[in-house]
Amino acid sequence: MTHIVFDIGNVLLRWDPYAAFAHLPRAEVEAMFDAVDFPAWNLANDGGRSRAEAIAAINETHPGHAARMEEYFDRFHHTIREPIHGTWQIADRLKRDGRRLFGLTNFSADTWPVALDLHGGLAHLFEDVVVSGMEKTVKPEPHIYTILCDRNGLEPADCLFIDDRAENVAGARAVGWDGVQFTTPEALELALAERGLL
């Protein structure tokens, strides 16, 4: 029996960090994100750094951006407002067919509760969700995939991972899972059908 493991951001929910600052000129936000190296900053938060630690890190290197970047946490709900409906429909079909569904996501411990509050269906869709910020390890590090299997008594060969990032899919395959890189719900449906899962 194949168990399906979903990433959350850009698979079930569109994530647009710029939406937190939609009230500002795009060029201004791009310059700020470049200055603070937003991808690296965000990944460190996903890896277990607290909000206070995240802002302290910016205060050390770019104090002029610290107050504005703290608003990212306050306005995070704007970044994940839009569900990807086609993926939710596929997940619902898989669940109705008796598949065990799990989540495995890079989210900070401070922002994950926002996602649960905004999209309550997440709490009901999955048996378990491994959240990087709570485990202090991020995809594609092998340990995060192992956590999900160990916690739920799963064999790696029975797991299929769906993620929008190629390196995270490769990380899953490296520990013995199958993997599908998500592009669109239609492509995902085809990939699952080819495996006999839909």
Side-chain angles (χ1 to χ4, degrees):
M1 174 63 118
T2 300
H3 314 305
I4 315 298
V5 186
F6 284 87
D7 176 33
I8 308 296
N10 291 326
V11 174
L12 284 159
L13 306 177
R14 297 198 192 283
W15 176 59
D16 176 11
Y18 290 94
F21 302 102
H23 57 298
L24 300 175
R26 174 79 177 212
E28 182 179 328
V29 180
E30 288 177 350
M32 178 175 67
F33 279 5
D34 285 345
V36 303
D37 191 358
F38 179 85
W41 178 81
N42 186 64
L43 186 64
N45 301 344
D46 288 350
R49 184 166 64 180
S50 70
R51 172 175 176 162
E53 291 167 335
I55 300 309
I58 291 180
N59 229 349
E60 288 179 10
T61 56
H62 299 87
H65 292 302
R68 179 58 44 85
M69 285 302 298
E70 185 151 24
E71 291 179 25
Y72 177 76
F73 291 99
D74 296 328
R75 301 177 59 82
F76 180 77
H77 57 285
H78 292 293
T79 73
I80 54 165
R81 283 207 174 277
E82 184 184 353
I84 302 175
H85 293 290
T87 312
W88 283 87
Q89 291 167 358
I90 290 169
D92 287 339
R93 286 172 59 190
L94 290 165
K95 191 166 187 175
R96 286 197 304 270
D97 288 345
R99 301 283 172 189
R100 296 180 70 186
L101 303 187
F102 300 90
L104 178 60
T105 187
N106 282 357
F107 251 88
S108 81
D110 290 288
T111 57
W112 177 242
V114 179
L116 289 176
D117 185 57
L118 196 60
H119 301 280
L122 290 169
H124 306 292
L125 185 63
F126 301 119
E127 286 188 38
D128 184 26
V129 181
V130 170
V131 179
S132 64
M134 296 176 180
E135 305 300 333
K136 302 188 185 307
T137 181
V138 295
K139 298 174 293 181
E141 294 172 5
H143 184 51
I144 196 166
Y145 305 94
T146 304
I147 289 170
L148 182 75
C149 287
D150 289 350
R151 208 155 77 185
N152 295 282
L154 308 179
E155 292 296 326
D158 295 332
C159 296
L160 170 67
F161 186 46
I162 301 161
D163 194 290
D164 63 302
R165 299 183 67 90
E167 63 268 29
N168 295 339
V169 173
R173 289 176 176 154
V175 297
W177 298 18
D178 190 7
V180 173
Q181 185 176 359
F182 179 83
T183 53
T184 66
E186 294 77 15
L188 174 60
E189 186 173 22
L190 179 61
L192 293 171
E194 288 173 345
R195 289 167 169 79
L197 298 173
L198 280 179

